[in-house]
Amino acid sequence: MSVKKIYLIRHGQTDFNVRGIVQGSGVDSSLNEAGQRQAARFFAAYRHVPFDKVYTSLLQRTHQSVQGFLDLGLPHEQHVGFNEICWGTREGTRITPEEDEEYHNVLQDWRAGRTHARMEGGESPDDVAARQRPAIELLTSRPEEETVLVCMHGRAMRVLLCQLLGYPLSQMDSFEHHNLCLYQLDYTGSMFTVRSFLDTRHLQEAR
């Protein structure tokens, strides 16, 4: 039985990341110079992998993060299922759990299992999980794509990993993420296993 290999990465750094501004699915930001360097280093480290398909969200920061692979002519498919969670009216603003009571309360709700909670005008983790299921179906129903690269977003990645690995969404913060980090998963046809967890070795300066 063949094993499908999935390389799952978060997009590279944007100026919004640096400034602590929430992007979500409604802010289509570009990579900054550091993000471009991260993308180049990931490409240099993994350009030898025989990817059959590259999947991204609809947002340009994911496209830019895998541009080196797209330039090789690899098939590319974008899917709304890989978009970041929508933070509603708070997108484009700077919010942190320490400074914003609503944001803090929503995060607490999620950790307590109330994953239907959402920011005003935004999505809940339950909504994101439902939106991701057609994308998961695509990944699991295409055995001819033996090795794929998926580039998406931090909070959405946490939701996706919970779904693939059978964790409740209340545990999604267990899956840490950094810009251009890598999770490598194997899919046997019945279950997913993690082969590489929060790998950032490709981002280290050459010595």
Side-chain angles (χ1 to χ4, degrees):
M1 178 177 58
S2 63
V3 174
K4 178 190 284 282
K5 297 184 182 300
I6 299 172
Y7 290 70
L8 178 64
I9 61 173
R10 185 189 177 203
H11 64 81
Q13 187 185 89
T14 71
D15 283 338
F16 287 81
N17 293 143
V18 176
R19 294 160 59 193
I21 294 175
V22 173
Q23 296 166 102
S25 59
V27 176
D28 195 11
S29 54
S30 300
L31 299 188
N32 60 18
E33 288 186 12
Q36 295 284 359
R37 287 195 300 272
Q38 291 168 342
R41 286 177 179 167
F42 181 81
F43 176 68
Y46 290 95
R47 63 181 302 169
H48 67 283
V49 177
F51 292 115
D52 297 300
K53 175 76 72 68
V54 178
Y55 289 90
T56 66
S57 75
L58 275 57
L59 302 169
Q60 64 176 335
R61 56 190 183 271
T62 62
H63 303 178
Q64 293 168 351
S65 298
V66 297
Q67 190 59 54
F69 299 95
L70 302 185
D71 289 344
L72 294 178
L74 293 177
H76 172 216
E77 187 168 338
Q78 50 186 339
H79 199 288
V80 69
F82 297 125
N83 272 17
E84 179 61 300
I85 192 171
C86 174
W87 293 101
T89 59
R90 311 307 292 279
E91 291 185 343
T93 68
R94 186 181 187 278
I95 56 177
T96 68
E98 295 76 25
E99 297 174 349
D100 190 287
E101 184 177 4
E102 181 190 10
Y103 185 45
H104 174 77
N105 289 339
V106 167
L107 295 182
Q108 289 295 101
D109 278 340
W110 294 351
R111 294 179 187 126
R114 295 183 289 273
T115 50
H116 60 279
R118 71 194 72 198
M119 301 288 282
E120 180 184 352
E123 289 180 300
S124 69
D126 290 345
D127 294 332
V128 176
R131 172 163 59 77
Q132 288 178 352
R133 286 182 195 122
I136 294 171
E137 175 65 22
L138 286 180
L139 288 178
T140 57
S141 65
R142 294 172 168 175
E144 70 280 5
E145 295 176 6
E146 296 181 353
T147 307
V148 299
L149 175 61
V150 180
C151 185
M152 54 187 304
H153 308 262
R155 180 60 61 174
M157 176 186 285
R158 287 174 158 167
V159 173
L160 182 70
L161 285 166
C162 283
Q163 296 210 86
L164 298 184
L165 299 170
Y167 285 79
L169 294 180
S170 60
Q171 299 298 310
M172 60 184 156
D173 286 348
S174 301
F175 298 105
E176 297 181 53
H177 59 72
H178 302 296
N179 287 117
L180 230 306
C181 68
L182 169 67
Y183 281 82
Q184 187 179 340
L185 302 99
D186 287 350
Y187 177 61
T188 64
S190 60
M191 66 179 294
F192 288 88
T193 55
V194 177
R195 295 301 182 196
S196 183
F197 184 98
L198 195 66
D199 190 352
T200 56
R201 290 173 295 176
H202 50 275
L203 299 180
Q204 296 172 3
E205 292 279 1
R207 282 171 164 68

